[in-house]
Amino acid sequence: MAQWTSAVGAAQLARQLLTQQPRPAGPGSRKPPAYRALADGIRLLVLEGRVPVAARLPAERELAVALSVSRTTVAAAYEALRAEGFLESRRGAGSWTAVPAGNPLPARGLEPLPPESLGSMIDLGTAALPAPEPWLTRGVQGALDELPPYAHTHGDYPAGVPALRQMLADRYTRRGIPTMPEQIMVTTGAMGAIDAICHLFAGRGERIAVESPSYANILQLMREAGARLVPVAMAEGLTGWDPVRWRQVLRDAAPRLAYVVADFHNPTGALADEDQRRQLVDAARSAGTVLVVDETMSELHLDPDIEMPRRVCAFDPAGSTVITVGSASKAFWAGMRIGWVRAAPDVIRSLVAARAYADLGTPVLEQLAVNWLMRTGGWEEAVGLRRAQARENRDALVAAVRERLPGWEFEVPRGGLTLWVRTGGLSGSRLAEVGERVGVRVPSGPRFGVDGAFEGYVRLPFTVSGPVAVEAAARLAAAARLVETGASTGTDAPRTFVA
């Protein structure tokens, strides 16, 4: 059986290689041989995540024609990559990308920083902001007023409190997506929703297509559920999704599920346009794949002039392809562990039935608090405060990083909570390690990829502002200097991953 889960065409790989900027040569240095430059280019594409791990590369002759080089050059490049652990081959199955043993792999998600460390450490690990007061307190007080009738019941609502299910259904309907309460299940956060969906649709060993990069905690959840992740590379910058690539992967790998964050993608901040959304749904429907759409960032549009596209489920009127996941955790407060699923009624019934063997239901008081906020207009007021705070934080962080780390590259997203930063060739894993020593906690790129990709990236969330943002950038710059000089390990080994 072949070990690859997707394929890269010769023309596609040639285009990606030609977009790379060559590294400036130092005085007196010689130009590397053509095969070495090609091997380095492919390795860089793998480490940056633009070519997924476990993607089959084109045959030597096909790539030679596409690049206008000799087949010998391609063969020598492939052999160099095999020797370095970035390529595996088997007769009859071709060659596919890999990451060598010993490279840092994403072992965990992004756990919150312990409270006792908050005084000495600037935490850029978790994309979460403090509660938008006074609305949290008002919501809880309103929920307490409405609690007595529920206190006289057993308190188990596997599908969610009926009032909140109706409220969420009405909100979708007002957006032009007719929805009944029977299409809604309330969950314990978005993580609880996606965990339930994975257990229902994708048993151990099933394939799940995911964006590359994608949200670290969800990737880890899927790994622990025994899923086989099939990465689909994101396009450069904020353009996001390549529908042609998605259609090819869904057709070739035939995954049971696909998981996407179409609204201010975590970590890149990309926003899918309506044509991309339509084509994603069409590709999933054609492949028989269930498309799980994470909308937890959808209300965090930060620029006032932005026009939000229609929700992905609007392009699936029959409800047979798209399952939507929402949450109060990003738009309101991470401590408000209320999420929800919108899907066809039969899917909701199956999810509810399976819940009897999981957590039975979501806390009633928190459901009533979210319902009170949505019913009274407090939700819109609170989300408005959240947008203003995230916008201020974004602008401060962007300015500070540009001043202190001018060699780092990124595009400024128009919403969401995260900045996806290319670190000028430095190892993101080493930056994360050294950063904790100098007082800043930052997650490295490989946490957001599959099998070690994105070594040259870090994710910076919009969680600090003002002087703290300036200090965070200063500490990152200090960490970068230590990584560049090799001081993090006390050796003279190179601290960059590029050739």
Side-chain angles (χ1 to χ4, degrees), residues 27 59 109 111 138 203 256 338 355 357 384 458 475:
E111 67 280 0
R138 293 180 183 177
R256 186 70 182 91
I338 298 295
R355 197 170 193 179
Y357 309 101
V458 294
R475 294 184 187 186

Side-chain angles (χ1 to χ4, degrees), residues 449-461:
V450 176
D451 294 335
F454 305 107
E455 185 55 61
Y457 289 81
V458 294
R459 189 195 73 173
L460 306 180

Side-chain angles (χ1 to χ4, degrees), residues 405-484:
L405 294 151
W408 288 17
E409 303 173 45
F410 54 86
E411 290 193 39
V412 181
R414 305 194 67 189
L417 289 172
T418 58
L419 195 67
W420 185 237
V421 182
R422 186 182 296 184
T423 56
L426 297 178
S427 163
S429 297
R430 291 192 180 101
L431 281 167
E433 176 190 0
V434 178
E436 296 218 14
R437 300 182 191 176
V438 299
V440 61
R441 183 173 183 259
V442 59
S444 63
R447 288 187 172 222
F448 303 90
V450 176
D451 294 335
F454 305 107
E455 185 55 61
Y457 289 81
V458 294
R459 189 195 73 173
L460 306 180
F462 311 145
T463 53
V464 294
S465 187
V468 181
V470 173
E471 179 62 22
R475 294 184 187 186
L476 284 172
R481 287 192 296 271
L482 291 171
V483 171
E484 286 174 338

Side-chain angles (χ1 to χ4, degrees), residues 264 269 297 300-303 306 394 412-418 462:
F264 308 118
M297 296 282 191
L300 292 176
H301 42 90
L302 305 184
D303 295 338
I306 191 170
R394 178 195 64 181
V412 181
R414 305 194 67 189
L417 289 172
T418 58
F462 311 145

Side-chain angles (χ1 to χ4, degrees), residues 35-105:
Y35 86 89
R36 183 70 262 171
L38 176 57
D40 291 345
I42 294 174
R43 186 178 76 248
L44 180 58
L45 289 173
V46 173
L47 287 170
E48 289 186 336
R50 290 194 284 154
V51 169
V53 175
R56 191 174 79 162
L57 295 185
E60 295 170 1
R61 189 185 304 276
E62 293 175 359
L63 186 57
V65 171
L67 291 172
S68 299
V69 299
S70 70
R71 182 178 177 182
T72 303
T73 296
V74 177
Y78 278 15
E79 182 58 36
L81 289 168
R82 275 190 287 270
E84 296 162 4
F86 285 92
L87 197 68
E88 296 180 10
S89 304
R90 189 163 59 198
R91 187 178 298 276
S95 299
W96 55 92
T97 56
V99 170
N103 263 44
L105 299 179

Side-chain angles (χ1 to χ4, degrees), residues 330-352:
K330 296 298 185 184
F332 187 79
W333 183 47
M336 185 69 77
R337 305 305 304 161
I338 298 295
W340 53 86
V341 178
R342 180 198 180 274
D346 62 316
V347 172
I348 295 297
R349 286 194 294 270
S350 297
L351 289 170
V352 171

